[in-house]
Amino acid sequence: MLVSVAIDLALDRLFTYSVPVELAGKLKTGQLLRVPFSGRIARGFSMKLSEGDSVPGAKFAVKPVMAIEDESPFFTVELLKLVKWAAKYYAAPVEQVLRAAVPAAVLKPNARPKELLFVEPVKDAAASGLTPRQSVLLADIVRVDGGWLSQLCGEFSTSPATIKALAAKGCVQISRKVSRRDPLGGKALVRSRPKTLDAEQAAALAAIASEDPRPVLLHGVTGSGKTEVYLQAIARELEAGRGAIVLVPEISLTPQTVQRFASRFGPLVAVLHSALSDGERYDEWHRIRRGEARVVVGPRSAVFAPVRNLGLIVVDEEHDSSYKQEESPRYSARDMAVVRAGIEGAKAVLGSATPSLESWLNAKRGKYVLASMPHRAMNHPMPEVRIVDMEEEKARSGCAPIFSAPLMDAIRSRLDRGEQTILFLNRRGYSSSYACPECGYVEECPDCSVAYTYHRVDDCLRCHVCGGWKRPPDKCPECGAPSFRCRGIGTQRAEEALVKCFPRARIQRMDADSVSRRHSHDEILSRFRANAIDILIGTQMIAKGLDFPNVTLVGVLNADSSLNLPDPRASERTYQLLAQVSGRAGRAELPGEVYLQTFNPDASAVRAAASDAGYVPFAEVELAEREAAMLPPFWRLATVNFKSKEEPLASAWCALYAKSLQSYAAKLSGASRLLVGDPVPAVLEKAEGWFRYQIVLRSKSPRSIVGAYRWISGVRPVPNTVRLALDMDAVNLL
Ligand code: ADP
Ligand code: ZN
C-alpha cells in the first residue's frame, strides 16, 4: 500500500511513501503523519491511498511512513475534496490550502489541553473538627458544587492551602482535570427563545428548508431579521442531527454576534476567532472535530471547520470583502461555502442587505434561489436618509466643515432627547497627510507609496500600510518652513471637533487605535448599550451588525471616501457601506434618521443609499454598466501580481509575462476567450519595501485564466528575487 503525503513546504507536489504492515488498516486519508524527508523528520497530511509498493519508474525505493501522529483524521473525505478544489481553482499549492484549513495552534504540539486542579465536595463527609472559617468555606464550596481550585480561591477570597486543608480532612476531593478554554469565558447565558417569524421570514425559512439543492440568496434589508431566520434554520438542522457553519465578517464577529448564537444553542456553539488564544483555538477546533460543538461561528477560515454531517452553511453579509483572503491561498470563503455545500449535500445560504453583484446575477440567472425580506421586523420603518451637499455647505461657511449644519442640529436634538448617535468616518488617525504649507512637501513612508497619517493622540506619523511610524519633523525637510498643515480628517480630529461643539456630551471613539486591548471593543459596546455614551464615532468597526435600539441618528461624515478609488467595484462598495451604516439607525420603536455628507450628491451609489427603492434598481443599473465594460460579474477577473525589492525586476518580469500572455491569448476564442491587460504598476506601487506590478486577466471561463497562468509560470519561472502570485476573482485591485 502507498500513500501520497502533502508536506508543509509549499512545493506544490505530493510525496509517496509506503505503508508499513503495522499501520495498514489504521492509516486513512486526512490524517497527520510523520515521515522521513531528506534526512529529517517531517509532518504531512495523507492525501490519497493506493495499491502497490513501489512507484513505477522511480529511481529509489519508497520510504515507509514512520507514524500516525493522530489517528482521528483532520480532514474528512469531503473536506479533502474541498481543499483540492481550492488548490486547483486558485492555482495555489495544496499544502498552503491545508495550512489555511487547520489553525496553526491545532498543529502545535504544546497546544494540548491544560490540566487544572478541580475541587469537588465529598458527599456526606463528616465535617467535624473544622475551624469556623473552614466550615464557612466548605458550605460555600458545597453551595456552588465545586469548581476549579484557582476559581474558588478568587471567588471566596481564600488560598489554595486552605482548600487543601479541607481535602486533608476528607471534606473535598482535589483532582486533575482537563479544562476547556472557553472563549465565551463561561459566561452564564440567558437562553433566548425562537421568535414567531413574520410572513417574510417564514417564507425565507421555507426556501432554506426546501429540498431544492440550490443555494439561497437571502436579500433582507437591515433589521429585517435575517439572524432570526438563520437561527431557526440551524435549529432544524440540529434536530435532524446535522451541524451548521455561520460565517461572519471578521470585523462584525463581536461578542454581541456570538452571544446571539450562543444564547440560542449554548455549548453546541464553537467560536473560531482571530483573537482567540492558541489554547482556546485548539479546544474549540477539537470540540468541533469530536462532534461536541455542532454550530460553528467564525470568519472566513471557518469554512474549513471539521463539522460532522454538515447540513447548512450561512454566509452573513456575503458581500463583505473580508471573505476574500488577500494572501495565498487567495480563496473566497463565500464561494467556497457554496462549493463545500455542494460537496457535502448541505444547503448554502448567502445573506445580505446589499448582495454582491456576483450573487445577485446568480439569483437572476436561477443558479441561486432568491428569498427577499424587503421590510424590517415588527413593522419598524426604514430610517429617513438625507443627503447633505458639502459643496453648498462649503459655499455657505467658506470652508467645508467636518459637521454640516443639518447634522449638528440633528445631533443636538438627540442629546436633548437622550437618544444616541453613531458617526461614521472611514479614516482613523488625525489627518490623512502632513504637509508643508509653503512648498507642499508631504511626509511619506519610505517603504510604501503612501503619505503618513498624523496621530495626535501620541503625536506621531504612522503608515497605515506597513504600520511604521516616526516623530513629526520640526521643520520642513525641503524648504525649512517651521510649521506643518494637517490635511484631511481622521476620527481623532473629528472627535476633537465634536468635543469642542458638545462639551457636555459623552463621546467615545472606536477604531483600530482605540481598540487594542482584547476586550475593550466589548467594553465600549456594552457601555454604549447601557446608554453611558451619547455619541459613538468610528470606522468600519461600527458599520456592521450592531443592533442598538436607542440609536436614532447616523451621520456619515464623508460618504465619498471609497467612491473615487480606481476599482471597478468602487460604486458597489460605496453603496454597500452607506446602506450598512444607515441600517444602524432606528432599529427599534424609535424612528431613525441618517445624514450622508457628500461632495457627489448625484453619484448613483449615494442616491441609491438615500432612496426608498434601495438595492434593486441600483443593482440593475450597475449590472448593465459592468456588462458593457466586460467586467465582473459577467467576466471573471484575476490579477497576476509581481513584487520585488528591485523595481526594474518587477517591471521587467511583468512586461515579459504580459507579452507572452497576450500572444497566448490570441489563440483562444469562444468560451475560453482571454483578455490580457497591459503591464502596469499597482495602484499601491510600493508596500513594505516591495515594488508592485500587475496584469489584469479577464475571461468568462475561470479555467482559461488558471490555464494561462499555469502555462506561463511553468515555461517562464520567475527568479527568487521576484514574487509571483495569481489573484483569482480579485476583489482588491489596489
Ligand atoms: P438583520 O440581521 O436582518 O439586520 P436582526 O436579525 O438583527 O436583523 O433583527 C433586527 C431586530 O428585530 C432584532 O432586534 C431582532 O431581535 C428583532 N426581530 C427579528 N425577527 C423578529 C421577529 N420575528 N419578532 C420579533 N422581533 C424580531
Ligand atoms: Zn509604510
Side-chain angles (χ1 to χ4, degrees):
M1 183 107 93
L2 294 171
V3 58
S4 36
V5 179
I7 293 170
D8 190 10
L9 291 168
L11 294 169
D12 204 8
R13 53 170 287 207
L14 301 178
F15 296 87
T16 305
Y17 292 88
S18 63
V19 180
V21 253
E22 66 271 20
L23 296 183
K26 283 191 209 150
L27 201 147
K28 300 189 193 103
T29 55
Q31 281 168 334
L32 188 61
L33 307 180
R34 211 175 315 146
V35 293
F37 188 81
S38 54
R40 62 182 182 91
I41 299 170
R43 294 196 302 174
F45 288 106
S46 85
M47 300 298 287
K48 203 177 152 192
L49 294 169
S50 51
E51 292 303 321
D53 46 21
S54 67
V55 181
K59 287 198 205 97
F60 306 100
V62 288
K63 290 192 181 124
V65 171
M66 297 167 83
I68 301 172
E69 286 261 312
D70 192 335
E71 288 216 354
S72 115
F74 281 65
F75 293 95
T76 57
V77 174
E78 291 82 8
L79 266 174
L80 272 188
K81 259 193 207 163
L82 182 73
V83 165
K84 288 177 187 164
W85 178 89
K88 203 163 158 198
Y89 184 86
Y90 294 104
V94 74
E95 311 87 74
Q96 228 168 43
V97 183
L98 290 167
R99 211 178 324 153
V102 182
V106 171
L107 295 174
K108 272 190 205 155
N110 57 3
R112 309 255 161 204
K114 262 194 280 185
E115 282 196 341
L116 296 177
L117 295 178
F118 194 83
V119 182
E120 277 165 299
V122 174
K123 270 207 192 91
D124 308 320
S128 58
L130 298 184
T131 67
R133 265 189 63 197
Q134 284 174 336
S135 315
V136 172
L137 179 61
L138 180 61
D140 280 336
I141 294 176
V142 170
R143 183 165 50 79
V144 299
D145 200 21
W148 302 107
L149 182 72
S150 58
Q151 215 177 10
L152 295 177
C153 288
E155 192 116 329
F156 304 125
S157 318
T158 183
S159 69
T162 317
I163 295 182
K164 281 176 185 160
L166 282 181
K169 289 187 175 164
C171 301
V172 301
Q173 207 174 16
I174 302 180
S175 55
R176 287 190 172 276
K177 267 195 184 181
V178 171
S179 114
R180 174 184 161 215
R181 291 149 288 189
D182 179 2
L184 297 173
K187 271 179 219 157
L189 294 170
V190 187
R191 283 301 183 94
S192 75
R193 264 197 243 142
K195 297 188 167 67
T196 310
L197 299 184
D198 62 31
E200 287 176 359
Q201 286 173 315
L205 183 63
I208 296 169
S210 89
E211 292 294 316
D212 191 330
R214 288 177 294 168
V216 173
L217 175 60
L218 176 54
H219 174 219
V221 296
T222 53
S224 56
K226 294 186 286 298
T227 311
E228 186 61 34
V229 173
Y230 305 149
L231 288 167
Q232 300 202 14
I234 294 167
R236 283 188 69 255
E237 295 302 325
L238 292 176
E239 272 161 34
R242 290 185 295 260
I245 297 175
V246 183
L247 301 182
V248 297
E250 177 83 52
I251 209 162
S252 55
L253 191 51
T254 59
Q256 194 189 10
T257 311
V258 174
Q259 198 82 9
R260 288 181 78 174
F261 290 89
S263 61
R264 187 73 53 93
F265 305 117
L268 286 179
V269 176
V271 187
L272 295 172
H273 190 295
S274 68
L276 296 187
S277 67
D278 277 0
E280 287 169 341
R281 201 188 300 266
Y282 182 99
D283 290 359
E284 288 298 81
W285 200 84
H286 284 282
R287 279 194 334 113
I288 300 165
R289 191 163 72 134
R290 288 194 301 265
E292 286 167 32
R294 287 156 60 205
V295 179
V296 176
V297 183
R300 65 172 177 257
S301 59
V303 75
F304 294 107
V307 175
R308 294 192 186 176
N309 199 3
L310 186 69
L312 180 72
I313 308 188
V314 173
V315 185
D316 191 26
E317 314 279 12
E318 65 87 30
H319 64 278
D320 195 274
S321 52
S322 75
Y323 287 125
K324 185 73 163 44
Q325 176 147 301
E326 291 295 347
E327 59 194 56
S328 191
R330 297 168 179 246
Y331 68 92
S332 154
R334 176 196 61 212
D335 297 346
M336 296 217 14
V338 172
V339 173
R340 180 165 181 191
I343 292 172
E344 306 224 14
K347 184 64 78 90
V349 177
L350 311 182
S352 176
T354 55
S356 63
L357 291 180
E358 280 75 8
S359 298
W360 188 249
L361 186 64
N362 279 332
K364 278 179 63 132
R365 288 177 168 171
K367 277 178 75 179
Y368 295 173
V369 174
L370 180 66
S372 293
M373 305 202 296
H375 300 97
R376 281 188 161 176
M378 309 291 288
N379 288 322
H380 295 146
M382 291 299 285
E384 199 70 51
V385 183
R386 300 171 211 282
I387 297 175
V388 182
D389 184 347
M390 294 304 278
E391 227 35 276
E392 275 175 25
E393 291 286 310
K394 193 171 162 186
R396 192 175 316 145
S397 56
C399 68
I402 299 178
F403 307 103
S404 61
L407 179 57
M408 288 289 276
D409 290 343
I411 296 173
R412 201 167 294 121
S413 71
R414 293 311 176 297
L415 291 172
D416 292 343
R417 294 207 296 260
E419 294 167 12
Q420 291 168 297
T421 298
I422 288 180
L423 296 176
F424 174 81
L425 178 58
N426 210 356
R427 189 184 292 134
R428 66 195 173 87
Y430 188 83
S431 72
S432 53
S433 72
Y434 199 69
C436 169
E438 300 297 327
C439 71
Y441 170 84
V442 174
E443 280 282 338
E444 277 188 17
C445 173
D447 294 328
C448 311
S449 53
V450 291
Y452 273 123
T453 301
Y454 178 58
H455 285 239
R456 172 156 288 182
V457 190
D458 45 5
D459 187 38
C460 74
L461 297 173
R462 280 185 200 284
C463 170
H464 285 186
V465 173
C466 70
W469 64 278
K470 64 179 248 182
R471 290 273 159 242
D474 298 331
K475 52 183 197 293
C476 174
E478 286 291 311
C479 71
S483 67
F484 277 87
R485 182 184 297 155
C486 289
R487 267 193 299 214
I489 298 148
T491 44
Q492 292 175 9
R493 190 170 184 180
E495 178 192 22
E496 185 184 275
L498 201 59
V499 170
K500 276 199 193 119
C501 299
F502 303 105
R504 281 201 301 277
R506 294 162 304 170
I507 297 164
Q508 173 69 49
R509 177 168 56 87
M510 186 154 127
D511 56 29
D513 302 307
S514 73
V515 174
S516 42
R517 278 175 305 126
R518 193 173 153 203
H519 288 295
S520 76
H521 185 261
D522 193 5
E523 279 159 26
I524 293 175
L525 294 181
S526 347
R527 279 197 292 128
F528 195 50
R529 175 168 299 278
N531 270 310
I533 295 169
D534 299 312
I535 306 174
L536 186 65
I537 179 165
T539 54
Q540 287 94 314
M541 235 174 236
I542 59 173
K544 286 171 194 157
L546 303 185
D547 187 14
F548 295 107
N550 196 35
V551 172
T552 60
L553 174 66
V554 165
V556 178
L557 302 187
N558 179 1
D560 310 326
S561 55
S562 55
L563 200 54
N564 300 318
L565 295 177
D567 187 306
R569 293 187 183 86
S571 182
E572 178 184 353
R573 294 261 169 73
T574 303
Y575 171 74
Q576 284 162 345
L577 186 62
L578 296 180
Q580 293 292 339
V581 188
S582 302
R584 303 307 114 215
R587 292 173 66 91
E589 280 70 38
L590 301 167
E593 204 179 21
V594 178
Y595 287 84
L596 306 178
Q597 299 190 159
T598 172
F599 288 98
N600 298 285
D602 294 322
S604 67
V606 177
R607 297 202 80 94
S611 117
D612 291 335
Y615 177 79
V616 181
F618 172 77
E620 293 307 313
V621 172
E622 191 67 21
L623 275 182
E625 285 176 13
R626 299 274 188 91
E627 185 162 29
M630 300 169 86
L631 286 169
F634 297 92
W635 290 68
R636 298 292 175 128
L637 187 154
T639 54
V640 183
N641 302 299
F642 300 81
K643 58 181 194 175
S644 175
K645 297 273 181 185
E646 288 162 66
E647 148 80 295
L649 277 177
S651 97
W653 278 93
C654 185
L656 177 81
Y657 265 52
K659 208 164 156 240
S660 307
L661 283 169
Q662 277 158 0
S663 43
Y664 173 95
K667 293 178 222 127
L668 301 173
S669 60
S672 51
R673 188 172 162 209
L674 180 68
L675 308 177
V676 180
D678 289 325
V680 288
V683 177
L684 184 59
E685 289 173 41
K686 192 182 177 198
E688 300 177 49
W690 294 87
F691 293 92
R692 308 166 74 235
Y693 277 78
Q694 67 180 202
I695 305 165
V696 172
L697 303 181
R698 282 177 288 166
S699 174
K700 294 211 169 176
S701 148
R703 237 175 276 141
S704 183
I705 293 177
V706 174
Y709 176 77
R710 288 254 185 225
W711 168 77
I712 181 79
S713 53
V715 297
R716 295 219 180 251
V718 295
N720 50 20
T721 43
V722 176
R723 299 270 174 89
L724 171 71
L726 179 74
D727 190 359
M728 186 66 192
D729 297 329
V731 297
N732 181 1
L733 296 191
L734 301 184

